[in-house]
Amino acid sequence: MEPLYQVNLELGNPEPKRAVKYLEFIIASVRANNGKVIKAWHGNAETESHGALKAPIRAALRRLKRQGRVNFFICSENYNENDEASRYLIDKYPLAKEKDADWGSGYDTYVMICL
């Protein structure tokens, strides 16, 4: 089974640009290790970063998707059994659900990234 890589982009309360660069590094590292799924916490208004990372991280993921560097990503508020992309992800990579205590929670604090 594919491992579920996890990264907390809020650690150390980085500036948004630094968090985006770190995410790009993580994506490249996971891809180099033949990984397929990353859970990346960006936080929201109630967390350490106070939501400062959410929009820049999601914008960066949209850019990376256009560039073909990520296959797709799912924002956590949509990551549930009613979402087609979520069902595809968990069917293909069961650990993305089994090892994720936040599955279906509706929190807007992270993204699931499929490489």
Side-chain angles (χ1 to χ4, degrees), residues 7-81:
V7 61
N8 185 345
L9 300 171
E10 290 188 293
L11 285 179
N13 203 17
E15 294 292 322
K17 284 183 183 181
R18 190 170 188 178
V20 168
K21 288 290 182 194
Y22 183 54
L23 177 61
E24 290 173 346
F25 169 78
I26 293 295
I27 288 171
S29 298
V30 169
R31 176 172 278 121
N33 288 305
N34 294 315
K36 302 295 182 198
V37 182
I38 304 168
K39 179 180 181 178
W41 282 273
H42 53 57
N44 65 15
E46 299 173 7
T47 62
E48 181 180 350
S49 69
H50 303 290
L53 303 181
K54 181 178 168 181
I57 292 296
R58 290 180 177 192
L61 286 168
R62 286 190 293 275
R63 175 180 49 82
L64 293 170
K65 184 177 183 301
R66 282 192 307 273
Q67 294 171 347
R69 293 170 57 193
V70 301
N71 188 7
F72 65 91
F73 67 97
I74 305 164
C75 299
S76 56
E77 59 270 23
N78 299 322
Y79 187 49
N80 61 59
E81 62 190 20

